[in-house]
Amino acid sequence: MLSENMLAAISDQVTKEFYSGYLYLQMAAWFENQTLPGFANWMKIQAQEEISHGMIFFNYVAERGGMVELGDMEGPPADYASPLDLFEKVLAHEEVVTSRINHLMDMAIAEKDYATKARLDWFITEQVEEEANASELVGKLKLIGNGSNGLFMLDKELAARVFVTPSPLAGGE
Ligand code: FEO
């Protein structure tokens, strides 16, 4: 059984993961509007990943005999100055998510809740990848600068991204 504190914190994280999906879907709409369908594709898949993250926590709570209570969610920002501005905000957002996951891990360790710690291990690794992906795109967009050719090439590259169900939802770990 999860402690009351842990249940509340994980419930909150479910809401936050869904918010990440909401944010990235808004960003996908921004890219569609900029006629950058590859970037929009990348963002839509990122939004799907975030919903999956929420579902991993959601399922975990049920497995431990608890019930998630979903919280309120504000609308995400819809205006961005440029693709670089947008991806800098993605990176900053992922850094906040990482600190939240680390905080959950601190709680699990303090409570000697080893099952929750084991579940969080996946998220700790996932956040390394999430930050690396955002950071790489920030770097590429800085290199491209105002060059529309580079942006066009990167858009083509991002159009190839496909959704892969995260392993904890695909029956693995
Ligand atoms: Fe759910 Fe982007 O981390």
Side-chain angles (χ1 to χ4, degrees):
M1 196 74 176
L2 291 164
S3 74
E4 232 172 84
N5 275 350
M6 188 59 79
L7 176 59
I10 297 178
S11 281
D12 190 40
Q13 190 59 30
V14 173
T15 305
K16 293 286 194 300
E17 296 289 349
F18 279 107
Y19 175 78
S20 295
Y22 208 39
L23 171 66
Y24 294 152
L25 196 58
Q26 179 63 67
M27 289 173 162
W30 187 86
F31 278 124
E32 296 276 14
N33 198 44
Q34 300 288 312
T35 328
L36 288 167
F39 278 91
N41 171 63
W42 193 95
M43 258 325 152
K44 280 190 255 185
I45 287 167
Q46 193 61 26
Q48 274 182 279
E49 276 208 0
E50 298 301 349
I51 303 300
S52 300
H53 293 170
M55 290 310 298
I56 294 168
F57 279 121
F58 182 95
N59 292 344
Y60 174 70
V61 168
E63 278 167 14
R64 296 289 308 276
M67 189 186 87
V68 162
E69 281 190 50
L70 295 170
D72 294 337
M73 205 163 55
E74 280 183 22
D79 290 328
Y80 301 96
S82 63
L84 175 59
D85 173 50
L86 185 153
F87 266 100
E88 282 175 337
K89 289 182 168 112
V90 171
L91 179 57
H93 181 74
E94 288 300 335
E95 285 168 352
V96 170
V97 174
T98 299
S99 68
R100 295 184 56 83
I101 298 288
N102 288 344
H103 177 65
L104 287 173
M105 183 61 101
D106 286 342
M107 284 178 67
I109 290 167
E111 291 189 11
K112 295 187 170 29
D113 180 347
Y114 301 117
T116 299
K117 183 187 169 301
R119 175 38 75 227
L120 288 167
D121 281 340
W122 184 87
F123 281 95
I124 297 278
T125 306
E126 175 70 4
Q127 280 311 120
V128 173
E129 196 184 315
E130 293 282 78
E131 285 194 34
N133 290 343
S135 184
E136 185 185 324
L137 284 165
V138 165
K140 283 184 175 174
L141 287 165
K142 279 185 178 164
L143 280 175
I144 287 169
N146 291 325
S148 56
N149 269 357
L151 203 56
F152 180 72
M153 299 282 286
L154 185 54
D155 191 63
K156 276 200 162 287
E157 182 186 321
L158 300 185
R161 186 180 186 192
V162 291
F163 178 68
V164 178
T165 304
S167 56
L169 286 184
E173 279 313 307

